[in-house]
Amino acid sequence: MSKTIAVLGLGNFGTALANHLARKGYEVLGWCKRPEMADSINRLNTNPDYLNSVQLSANLKATTDFSATLSADIVLLSFPSSALSEIVPRLKLRPDSIMVSAIKGLDRETLLTPLQYFRMHHPECGRIAALSGPSFARDIARQRPSGVVSASDDEAVAREVADLFSNEHMRVYSSGDTIGVEIGGVVKNVIALAAGVIDGMDLGDSARAGLITRGLAEMMRLAQAMGAQAMTLSGLSGLGDLIMTSTSELSRNRTVGLRLGRGEHLDHIVKTLGSVAEGVKTTALVVELAERYKVEMPITHHVRDLLEGRHSATEMVRSLLARPLKREF
Amino acid sequence: MSKTIAVLGLGNFGTALANHLARKGYEVLGWCKRPEMADSINRLNTNPDYLNSVQLSANLKATTDFSATLSADIVLLSFPSSALSEIVPRLKLRPDSIMVSAIKGLDRETLLTPLQYFRMHHPECGRIAALSGPSFARDIARQRPSGVVSASDDEAVAREVADLFSNEHMRVYSSGDTIGVEIGGVVKNVIALAAGVIDGMDLGDSARAGLITRGLAEMMRLAQAMGAQAMTLSGLSGLGDLIMTSTSELSRNRTVGLRLGRGEHLDHIVKTLGSVAEGVKTTALVVELAERYKVEMPITHHVRDLLEGRHSATEMVRSLLARPLKREF
């Protein structure tokens, strides 16, 4: 019998992943809060709010009944990180189910990653994985090529999840480094904000490439202090996602930085953006995490100060460039 | 007394670096082959063929007399790698001079990097360094921020070169890993060609980011087999330059790939490009180097086959995506 899959959260990314799995032939049940959204998906095979030009697979159904999702073989989390504390405690899954997190952020109270947070609430459930890597919802929906990583402490689970998502469009590599994969997905949004600032100030592609590279070094330092392997951050879920988020016109986090670099105010940007840019909320949490693990993260600190209005984009760049020089590593 | 500097080769990059040093107050003597170019630089402070909208510093003079450059304190190489065998044997420098290579390529006969090739011809001259990193000529000329690496086996030389180039616009880090720094500058042009193909075929930013990431892994494998440290390739001279060259509209190597991806023929692209794209010549040499060191470099092999007309861009992408999946590292 084919596996049943539940997808919690039908934003851009959740809708794209749910539809990807439904196209592969799985019965997918998506969960959302708005009855109109569930109704449109069930009757018209379109999500009115996200990827609305995409005709969704008939194998994808939607519900607003949270409890209906808990009996699935695979439960995929794709809601914003700000909802972790609301949803994770209610995730009473079957012991043989697999929980897959596609969330790129931290719980704001505990600073835990989604997998760490889930483990804290459900220590008995060991079959959990993180899915991450460069994969825009729009690219997945259009069946363009992408490469992502499935990470789990349990190698068999990592491979099972990789097989679940893999097809000729999406290449899924497996990894045992869950913290490395999760931290890459968190910090890349912060660095993408900074890369956007560079572009918004028209400082050139040399400066942007330099900033992304120094941003990767920050990301590596934090992840290693938390127990990750440096190589993981050089891979798809770290560097790959960082490059995509920092250079693409489609990236929301980069767009926030771009508009800050042009002198717009954050409040106005957030109001007019239309959807969540995880980096805006995550940056201050990453600063806290860096302090907890005693890791130097100058770009992240400067982005936090910019977001909180403590300095302008010009001051941010001047101050980053004025840091003392030393050996590269 | 201030140091004298000779710059061999006044293309885009050579002109930008020569002018950068001249603006810092050094007396810089540029060498070029065409008397009209030298004359224009000396009389009008402009290079008619490269960066011609830039008013050059009056401290930059030019000559077509090769021997006049050999007595300089610092000799900077910035000619195309195809001229290594013609020029390097004639570089009889003073024993206390410093030779700095800004060349990103390989000697086509020996497959040696510029520093390796120089050492072979002048084993008595130990004060040599490579300068590399994300720094478009146009960005340097506009005094936009950039970060690069000065690498030498001799730490004092690396630092001396770093101090020579550093100012408030250009941050120069020092490194002891010459082979790592040089190989990054070579392989990035090959991967940028492949990234251009992805863009030319409109495969999306997810695919491009994935390709760049897998390209970095290839670059790392080759460099490590040649004795480099992996971290160097994650730095400015490896990853930084790779990101810039693979994502910028200004990159010639990416442009060649972009046009190949759209179905243009290589001969036509090279004829109409106006300046050298190092990657076109370097790719086959990197394949040879990979075979010599028994390193797997699938993207590089596929780019070579595309450049040599053995398969189309579509076949190249299909074949890269069909490779067997395994753990990421």
Side-chain angles (χ1 to χ4, degrees):
Chain A
M1 208 186 70
S2 175
K3 294 191 186 87
T4 58
I5 300 170
V7 176
L8 308 189
L10 295 173
N12 277 317
F13 199 48
T15 302
L17 288 176
N19 188 50
H20 171 74
L21 294 168
R23 269 191 193 139
K24 280 194 67 180
Y26 296 107
E27 298 296 323
V28 181
L29 182 64
W31 172 75
C32 58
K33 290 195 171 175
R34 293 185 49 238
E36 300 78 14
M37 184 184 282
D39 197 47
S40 169
I41 290 171
N42 290 330
R43 289 195 308 117
L44 307 171
N45 302 118
T46 58
N47 183 332
D49 295 346
Y50 300 102
L51 298 175
N52 58 15
S53 64
V54 177
Q55 184 68 22
L56 302 170
S57 163
N59 290 338
L60 170 61
K61 297 294 172 200
T63 181
T64 57
D65 175 11
F66 186 78
S67 63
T69 65
L70 297 179
S71 58
D73 297 311
I74 315 277
V75 177
L76 176 69
L77 313 191
S78 56
F79 46 81
S81 62
S82 54
L84 280 166
S85 60
E86 175 200 335
I87 296 176
V88 167
R90 298 159 61 199
L91 285 173
K92 312 273 184 211
L93 308 183
R94 294 187 350 239
D96 60 331
S97 303
I98 293 181
M99 188 287 281
V100 183
S101 163
I103 296 172
K104 294 168 181 173
L106 300 168
D107 171 61
R108 73 187 113 182
E109 288 302 320
T110 60
L111 304 183
L112 294 176
T113 65
L115 290 197
Q116 289 176 325
Y117 192 74
F118 183 89
R119 270 191 216 105
M120 184 180 76
H121 283 277
H122 308 286
E124 75 293 351
C125 180
R127 291 167 58 80
I128 63 178
L131 186 80
S132 193
S135 48
F136 274 128
R138 203 189 293 190
D139 288 336
I140 297 171
R142 290 188 190 174
Q143 303 192 293
R144 287 160 149 185
S146 64
V148 299
V149 179
S150 152
S152 177
D153 298 338
D154 180 338
E155 200 174 323
V157 171
R159 276 204 308 270
E160 202 173 323
V161 171
D163 289 342
L164 185 78
F165 284 92
S166 280
N167 69 1
E168 70 269 37
H169 310 296
M170 188 182 288
R171 288 173 70 79
V172 191
Y173 295 82
S174 63
S175 163
D177 186 1
T178 54
I179 192 72
V181 165
E182 288 197 286
I183 288 299
V186 171
V187 178
K188 61 114 189 178
N189 286 325
V190 181
I191 306 303
L193 268 162
V197 171
I198 300 284
D199 282 346
M201 294 176 69
D202 197 25
L203 294 177
D205 293 331
S206 309
R208 181 175 78 177
L211 179 118
I212 296 171
T213 306
R214 301 304 297 168
L216 177 69
E218 271 187 38
M219 183 191 277
M220 279 182 172
R221 282 197 293 272
L222 177 62
Q224 282 186 287
M226 295 175 73
Q229 290 160 354
M231 280 306 275
T232 303
L233 286 299
S234 295
L236 291 165
S237 59
L239 173 63
D241 210 355
L242 175 64
I243 292 174
M244 184 186 79
T245 312
S246 300
T247 65
S248 173
E249 303 292 328
L250 298 178
S251 158
R252 291 188 295 277
N253 290 289
R254 175 178 171 276
T255 299
V256 171
L258 193 82
R259 292 172 63 179
L260 285 168
R262 288 178 182 154
E264 284 187 54
H265 284 284
L266 182 62
D267 289 349
H268 176 68
I269 298 169
V270 169
K271 255 181 231 151
T272 54
L273 197 67
S275 57
V276 181
E278 280 277 359
V280 174
K281 282 173 186 165
T282 300
T283 303
L285 305 181
V286 176
V287 169
E288 277 188 68
L289 210 49
E291 283 163 1
R292 182 181 290 180
Y293 285 94
K294 303 195 184 346
V295 175
E296 225 186 318
M297 298 187 76
I299 299 171
T300 304
H301 269 90
H302 280 86
V303 171
R304 194 266 318 260
D305 288 352
L306 176 66
L307 290 173
E308 296 185 354
R310 295 191 210 170
H311 59 198
S312 69
T314 309
E315 283 158 354
M316 166 177 154
V317 169
R318 190 182 303 135
S319 158
L320 276 173
L321 287 170
R323 302 189 68 239
L325 268 175
K326 42 190 180 185
R327 289 180 64 86
E328 190 175 21
F329 294 110
Chain B
M1 208 187 69
S2 176
K3 294 190 187 92
T4 59
I5 300 170
V7 176
L8 307 189
L10 295 173
N12 277 317
F13 199 49
T15 302
L17 288 176
N19 188 52
H20 171 74
L21 294 168
R23 269 189 194 141
K24 281 194 67 178
Y26 296 108
E27 298 296 323
V28 181
L29 182 63
W31 171 75
C32 58
K33 290 195 169 174
R34 293 185 50 238
E36 300 78 15
M37 184 184 283
D39 198 47
S40 168
I41 291 171
N42 291 330
R43 289 193 309 117
L44 308 170
N45 302 118
T46 58
N47 183 332
D49 295 346
Y50 301 100
L51 297 175
N52 58 16
S53 64
V54 177
Q55 184 69 21
L56 302 170
S57 163
N59 290 337
L60 169 60
K61 297 295 172 198
T63 181
T64 58
D65 176 10
F66 186 78
S67 63
T69 64
L70 297 178
S71 58
D73 297 312
I74 316 277
V75 177
L76 176 67
L77 313 190
S78 55
F79 47 81
S81 62
S82 55
L84 280 166
S85 60
E86 176 201 334
I87 296 176
V88 168
R90 298 159 63 200
L91 285 174
K92 313 272 185 213
L93 308 183
R94 294 188 351 238
D96 60 330
S97 301
I98 293 180
M99 189 286 281
V100 183
S101 163
I103 296 172
K104 294 168 182 174
L106 300 168
D107 171 62
R108 74 186 114 182
E109 288 302 320
T110 59
L111 305 183
L112 294 175
T113 65
L115 289 196
Q116 290 176 325
Y117 192 74
F118 184 90
R119 269 191 216 105
M120 183 180 77
H121 283 277
H122 309 286
E124 75 291 353
C125 181
R127 290 166 58 79
I128 64 178
L131 186 80
S132 192
S135 48
F136 274 128
R138 203 189 291 190
D139 289 336
I140 297 171
R142 289 188 190 174
Q143 302 192 293
R144 285 161 151 185
S146 63
V148 299
V149 179
S150 152
S152 177
D153 298 337
D154 180 337
E155 200 174 325
V157 171
R159 275 204 310 269
E160 203 173 321
V161 171
D163 289 344
L164 186 78
F165 284 91
S166 279
N167 68 1
E168 70 269 37
H169 310 296
M170 188 181 288
R171 288 173 70 81
V172 191
Y173 295 82
S174 63
S175 163
D177 186 2
T178 55
I179 193 71
V181 165
E182 287 197 286
I183 288 299
V186 170
V187 178
K188 60 115 189 178
N189 286 324
V190 181
I191 306 303
L193 268 161
V197 172
I198 300 283
D199 284 345
M201 294 176 68
D202 197 24
L203 295 177
D205 293 331
S206 309
R208 181 174 79 175
L211 180 118
I212 297 170
T213 306
R214 301 303 299 170
L216 177 69
E218 264 183 50
M219 184 191 275
M220 278 183 171
R221 282 197 293 271
L222 177 63
Q224 281 187 288
M226 295 175 73
Q229 289 159 354
M231 279 306 274
T232 304
L233 284 301
S234 295
L236 291 165
S237 60
L239 173 64
D241 210 354
L242 175 65
I243 292 174
M244 184 185 80
T245 311
S246 300
T247 64
S248 173
E249 303 292 326
L250 298 176
S251 158
R252 291 188 295 277
N253 291 290
R254 175 179 171 275
T255 299
V256 171
L258 193 81
R259 292 172 61 178
L260 286 168
R262 287 179 183 155
E264 285 187 54
H265 284 283
L266 183 62
D267 290 349
H268 176 69
I269 298 169
V270 169
K271 255 182 227 149
T272 53
L273 196 68
S275 57
V276 181
E278 280 277 359
V280 175
K281 282 172 184 164
T282 300
T283 303
L285 305 180
V286 176
V287 169
E288 277 187 68
L289 210 49
E291 282 162 2
R292 182 182 290 180
Y293 285 94
K294 303 196 185 344
V295 175
E296 225 186 318
M297 299 186 75
I299 298 171
T300 305
H301 269 90
H302 279 86
V303 171
R304 194 265 318 260
D305 288 351
L306 176 67
L307 289 172
E308 296 185 354
R310 294 190 211 170
H311 60 200
S312 68
T314 310
E315 283 158 354
M316 166 178 154
V317 169
R318 190 181 304 135
S319 158
L320 275 174
L321 287 171
R323 302 188 69 241
L325 269 175
K326 43 191 177 185
R327 288 179 68 85
E328 190 176 18
F329 294 111

XYZ file of all heavy atoms in Angstrom, chain A residues 283-329:
385
model
N 16.948 37.051 12.547
C 18.266 37.665 12.770
C 18.587 37.865 14.251
O 19.670 37.480 14.711
C 18.358 39.006 12.009
O 18.100 38.751 10.631
C 19.730 39.619 12.157
N 17.643 38.438 14.993
C 17.913 38.693 16.415
C 18.111 37.382 17.167
O 18.905 37.298 18.117
C 16.770 39.496 17.032
N 17.397 36.333 16.736
C 17.549 35.029 17.388
C 18.933 34.441 17.108
O 19.545 33.822 17.974
C 16.461 34.060 16.908
C 15.012 34.543 17.061
C 14.044 33.467 16.564
C 14.711 34.900 18.510
N 19.440 34.648 15.882
C 20.781 34.136 15.548
C 21.848 34.887 16.352
O 22.823 34.284 16.814
C 21.049 34.225 14.026
C 22.479 33.789 13.707
C 20.061 33.362 13.252
N 21.643 36.187 16.554
C 22.579 36.940 17.405
C 22.609 36.331 18.805
O 23.685 36.102 19.380
C 22.197 38.436 17.461
C 23.001 39.159 18.548
C 22.426 39.106 16.109
N 21.425 36.020 19.347
C 21.368 35.393 20.682
C 22.095 34.053 20.701
O 22.825 33.723 21.637
C 19.907 35.152 21.077
C 19.198 36.334 21.677
C 17.827 35.900 22.189
O 17.742 35.139 23.167
O 16.815 36.300 21.549
N 21.868 33.272 19.636
C 22.491 31.951 19.534
C 24.014 32.095 19.471
O 24.754 31.337 20.100
C 21.958 31.264 18.265
C 21.850 29.754 18.209
C 21.166 29.168 19.425
C 21.101 29.346 16.928
N 24.489 33.079 18.697
C 25.933 33.317 18.573
C 26.531 33.677 19.925
O 27.633 33.244 20.272
C 26.194 34.429 17.558
N 25.777 34.441 20.716
C 26.277 34.814 22.047
C 26.293 33.592 22.961
O 27.241 33.378 23.709
C 25.428 35.952 22.626
C 25.814 37.290 21.976
C 24.784 38.396 22.164
O 23.742 38.166 22.825
O 25.012 39.498 21.607
N 25.244 32.772 22.841
C 25.184 31.562 23.670
C 26.384 30.657 23.387
O 26.971 30.085 24.295
C 23.871 30.817 23.382
C 23.680 29.583 24.214
C 22.378 28.849 23.891
N 21.181 29.572 24.316
C 19.942 29.107 24.127
N 19.750 27.926 23.517
N 18.898 29.801 24.522
N 26.750 30.532 22.098
C 27.853 29.628 21.726
C 29.189 30.366 21.589
O 30.167 29.773 21.155
C 27.511 28.884 20.431
C 26.491 27.787 20.648
C 25.136 28.022 20.466
C 26.899 26.519 21.081
C 24.197 27.023 20.692
C 25.968 25.513 21.307
C 24.620 25.779 21.112
O 23.699 24.781 21.342
N 29.207 31.660 21.948
C 30.442 32.462 21.919
C 31.127 32.417 20.549
O 32.318 32.104 20.427
C 31.405 32.004 23.013
C 30.791 32.069 24.423
C 31.833 31.962 25.490
C 31.242 31.916 26.904
N 29.821 32.302 27.056
N 30.349 32.713 19.514
C 30.853 32.698 18.145
C 30.775 34.117 17.588
O 29.774 34.810 17.793
C 29.996 31.751 17.270
C 30.440 31.815 15.827
C 30.090 30.328 17.788
N 31.827 34.535 16.861
C 31.848 35.864 16.258
C 31.044 35.839 14.957
O 31.341 35.057 14.060
C 33.305 36.230 15.935
C 33.701 37.630 16.333
C 35.115 37.931 15.834
O 35.992 37.055 15.944
O 35.316 39.033 15.306
N 30.022 36.681 14.862
C 29.212 36.738 13.638
C 28.968 38.209 13.274
O 27.850 38.731 13.422
C 27.883 35.992 13.846
C 28.059 34.501 14.154
S 26.488 33.586 14.204
C 26.102 33.421 12.473
N 29.998 38.880 12.765
C 29.875 40.330 12.549
C 28.782 40.724 11.558
O 28.073 41.715 11.800
C 31.268 40.734 12.033
C 31.943 39.465 11.629
C 31.355 38.377 12.467
N 28.610 39.992 10.488
C 27.574 40.384 9.515
C 26.200 40.288 10.164
O 25.373 41.202 10.060
C 27.651 39.514 8.239
C 29.011 39.694 7.547
C 26.519 39.866 7.276
C 29.265 38.707 6.407
N 25.969 39.181 10.866
C 24.681 38.981 11.535
C 24.404 40.100 12.536
O 23.287 40.643 12.593
C 24.666 37.611 12.239
O 24.951 36.602 11.266
C 23.321 37.333 12.890
N 25.411 40.458 13.329
C 25.241 41.563 14.278
C 24.863 42.856 13.563
O 23.985 43.593 14.005
C 26.537 41.791 15.072
C 26.589 41.011 16.344
N 27.110 39.731 16.416
C 26.172 41.316 17.599
C 27.018 39.293 17.654
N 26.453 40.226 18.404
N 25.536 43.115 12.453
C 25.263 44.358 11.734
C 23.872 44.358 11.109
O 23.214 45.393 11.043
C 26.336 44.603 10.672
C 27.598 45.186 11.229
N 28.607 44.423 11.755
C 27.999 46.470 11.375
C 29.583 45.216 12.186
N 29.236 46.465 11.962
N 23.417 43.205 10.629
C 22.062 43.129 10.071
C 21.040 43.368 11.185
O 20.057 44.096 11.008
C 21.813 41.767 9.383
C 20.344 41.618 8.995
C 22.696 41.621 8.146
N 21.291 42.792 12.348
C 20.377 43.005 13.478
C 20.291 44.509 13.797
O 19.199 45.074 13.948
C 20.891 42.217 14.708
C 19.898 42.067 15.852
C 20.031 43.136 16.933
N 21.384 43.453 17.303
C 22.025 42.987 18.384
N 21.398 42.156 19.201
N 23.270 43.372 18.656
N 21.452 45.156 13.873
C 21.459 46.590 14.184
C 20.747 47.408 13.103
O 20.078 48.399 13.400
C 22.900 47.089 14.361
C 23.516 46.581 15.665
O 22.777 45.984 16.475
O 24.727 46.771 15.863
N 20.878 46.984 11.855
C 20.179 47.678 10.766
C 18.666 47.485 10.895
O 17.893 48.444 10.804
C 20.672 47.138 9.415
C 19.972 47.688 8.165
C 20.271 49.179 7.997
C 20.417 46.927 6.909
N 18.248 46.242 11.139
C 16.811 45.950 11.261
C 16.208 46.699 12.445
O 15.051 47.107 12.403
C 16.574 44.445 11.437
C 16.844 43.564 10.221
C 16.744 42.081 10.600
C 15.859 43.870 9.087
N 16.996 46.878 13.507
C 16.472 47.543 14.700
C 16.696 49.052 14.659
O 16.471 49.742 15.653
C 17.100 46.910 15.952
C 16.679 45.442 16.084
C 17.162 44.761 17.360
O 17.929 45.387 18.125
O 16.754 43.605 17.580
N 17.164 49.544 13.514
C 17.293 50.992 13.344
C 18.453 51.617 14.079
O 18.513 52.828 14.271
N 19.418 50.798 14.546
C 20.544 51.355 15.305
C 21.598 51.970 14.409
O 22.434 52.736 14.857
C 21.201 50.269 16.152
C 20.279 49.752 17.227
C 21.036 48.881 18.206
N 20.120 47.883 18.745
C 20.496 46.861 19.479
N 21.773 46.683 19.748
N 19.604 46.008 19.929
N 21.653 51.554 13.145
C 22.511 52.263 12.190
C 21.896 52.153 10.800
O 20.998 51.343 10.558
C 23.973 51.792 12.234
C 24.196 50.336 11.940
N 25.352 49.676 12.290
C 23.419 49.408 11.335
C 25.267 48.420 11.910
N 24.116 48.232 11.329
N 22.387 53.023 9.903
C 21.876 53.028 8.534
C 22.630 51.982 7.717
O 23.640 51.428 8.153
C 22.101 54.406 7.914
O 23.489 54.596 7.709
N 22.137 51.721 6.504
C 22.810 50.780 5.608
C 24.229 51.256 5.304
O 25.179 50.466 5.293
C 22.001 50.626 4.320
N 24.389 52.554 5.083
C 25.723 53.103 4.804
C 26.669 52.875 5.973
O 27.811 52.447 5.802
C 25.621 54.622 4.524
O 24.611 54.830 3.542
C 26.938 55.185 4.036
N 26.173 53.142 7.174
C 27.004 52.917 8.367
C 27.334 51.437 8.527
O 28.441 51.071 8.920
C 26.290 53.441 9.619
C 26.355 54.956 9.750
C 25.256 55.524 10.644
O 24.356 54.754 11.081
O 25.293 56.742 10.899
N 26.379 50.595 8.218
C 26.607 49.150 8.327
C 27.764 48.730 7.428
O 28.680 48.024 7.846
C 25.326 48.403 7.937
C 25.539 46.914 7.687
S 23.981 46.046 7.301
C 24.639 44.673 6.326
N 27.729 49.163 6.172
C 28.763 48.759 5.230
C 30.113 49.353 5.632
O 31.136 48.662 5.632
C 28.380 49.179 3.795
C 29.557 49.020 2.846
C 27.189 48.361 3.313
N 30.125 50.615 6.026
C 31.378 51.255 6.412
C 32.007 50.506 7.586
O 33.203 50.228 7.610
C 31.128 52.721 6.782
C 32.421 53.518 6.952
C 32.136 54.962 7.372
N 31.278 55.655 6.443
C 30.239 56.419 6.781
N 29.928 56.584 8.059
N 29.519 57.021 5.870
N 31.179 50.151 8.541
C 31.680 49.485 9.738
C 32.170 48.064 9.419
O 33.198 47.615 9.942
C 30.551 49.491 10.767
O 30.720 48.506 11.712
N 31.487 47.352 8.516
C 31.957 46.010 8.129
C 33.306 46.102 7.421
O 34.184 45.256 7.616
C 30.945 45.325 7.207
C 29.783 44.594 7.888
C 28.770 44.114 6.854
C 30.287 43.411 8.715
N 33.479 47.134 6.598
C 34.732 47.279 5.851
C 35.876 47.759 6.729
O 37.038 47.599 6.383
C 34.554 48.263 4.685
C 33.738 47.745 3.512
C 33.424 48.874 2.552
C 34.504 46.640 2.791
N 35.556 48.358 7.874
C 36.602 48.913 8.730
C 37.130 47.896 9.732
O 38.025 48.195 10.511
C 36.055 50.133 9.469
N 36.603 46.657 9.695
C 37.067 45.662 10.663
C 38.547 45.353 10.418
O 39.020 45.396 9.299
C 36.243 44.380 10.556
C 34.751 44.640 10.785
C 33.988 43.351 10.890
N 34.339 42.638 12.110
C 34.853 41.422 12.155
N 35.105 40.754 11.064
N 35.147 40.863 13.302
N 39.294 45.040 11.484
C 40.728 44.773 11.292
C 40.952 43.559 10.394
O 40.199 42.595 10.433
C 41.237 44.502 12.713
C 40.026 44.249 13.542
C 38.882 44.946 12.890
N 41.994 43.643 9.583
C 42.313 42.568 8.652
C 43.190 41.515 9.313
O 44.062 41.824 10.095
C 43.088 43.135 7.461
C 42.248 43.568 6.276
C 43.138 44.214 5.242
C 41.549 42.358 5.666
N 42.979 40.274 8.940
C 43.877 39.230 9.434
C 43.961 38.128 8.386
O 43.515 38.313 7.264
C 43.373 38.701 10.771
C 41.869 38.489 10.813
C 41.398 38.200 12.221
C 39.885 37.989 12.210
N 39.329 37.817 13.528
N 44.562 37.026 8.744
C 44.588 35.886 7.827
C 43.150 35.459 7.549
O 42.272 35.620 8.382
C 45.386 34.727 8.436
C 46.886 35.019 8.495
C 47.640 33.845 9.106
N 47.542 32.657 8.277
C 48.364 32.393 7.258
N 49.326 33.233 6.955
N 48.222 31.295 6.553
N 42.922 34.883 6.371
C 41.544 34.598 5.986
C 40.900 33.555 6.911
O 39.737 33.682 7.260
C 41.480 34.120 4.523
C 40.047 34.048 4.020
C 39.944 33.693 2.551
O 40.903 33.121 1.998
O 38.876 33.984 1.971
N 41.636 32.525 7.271
C 41.075 31.482 8.161
C 41.970 31.258 9.366
O 43.172 31.360 9.275
C 40.915 30.159 7.406
C 39.895 30.254 6.318
C 40.279 30.226 4.991
C 38.557 30.401 6.616
C 39.345 30.319 3.979
C 37.613 30.500 5.607
C 38.012 30.460 4.284
